[in-house]
Amino acid sequence: LPRAVRVLVAGVEDALEAADRKCLSYAALLAHIYAHKGLHCSILFEMIRRRLRPNSDTTSQRELAAELVLVLLRRAGPAMRGDDPSALKEIVALVQSWAKENAVGESLASDGSSAF
């Protein structure tokens, strides 16, 4: 990866660890770089997967991780679907599972369908 992308990915992880909202700005910038073909979709998919895995994050970190996933999916989701639809389908299933496990968005997980 180019150095700037590595720095941004590390910045997202560090800011999330510190429960700092800067991670959302870094994620938005990564989505923008992706939209202009500056990085591969697998980087964003892996970042989302890591945030949705069970871990020992605090409540504020989990909420921030949910916002981070939303930022990435809102800004880059349509392009990600075009690049790798099966990976995006897997991410949607992970989001639904994660929401149920973490009691985030009861209405989101209650009917089993979500629109991203």
Side-chain angles (χ1 to χ4, degrees):
L1 291 176
R3 181 168 162 42
V5 172
R6 278 186 272 139
V7 168
L8 282 172
V9 170
V12 168
E13 296 299 323
D14 292 344
L16 268 171
E17 187 68 31
D20 187 348
R21 296 189 61 82
K22 277 195 258 182
C23 69
L24 301 176
S25 297
Y26 294 146
L29 186 55
L30 282 170
H32 185 74
I33 292 170
Y34 166 72
H36 293 285
K37 310 294 184 209
L39 64 116
H40 195 266
C41 65
S42 62
I43 295 168
L44 297 182
F45 281 127
E46 185 56 33
M47 183 179 291
I48 293 170
R49 282 187 195 102
R50 275 198 313 247
R51 297 317 329 156
L52 297 175
R53 290 189 185 124
N55 53 34
S56 59
D57 287 347
T58 65
T59 302
S60 62
Q61 287 171 322
R62 282 193 304 269
E63 290 171 357
L64 203 52
E67 287 184 61
L68 176 97
V69 169
L70 283 173
V71 164
L72 290 173
L73 291 177
R74 282 184 181 147
R75 292 178 182 247
M80 293 168 75
R81 182 178 53 223
D83 287 343
D84 194 347
S86 62
L88 189 59
K89 185 176 178 180
E90 176 190 338
I91 293 295
V92 169
L94 279 171
V95 167
Q96 290 171 339
S97 165
W98 187 86
K100 286 178 185 177
E101 291 172 9
N102 291 288
V104 174
E106 291 292 323
S107 63
L108 172 74
S110 65
D111 67 358
S113 65
S114 302
F116 284 100

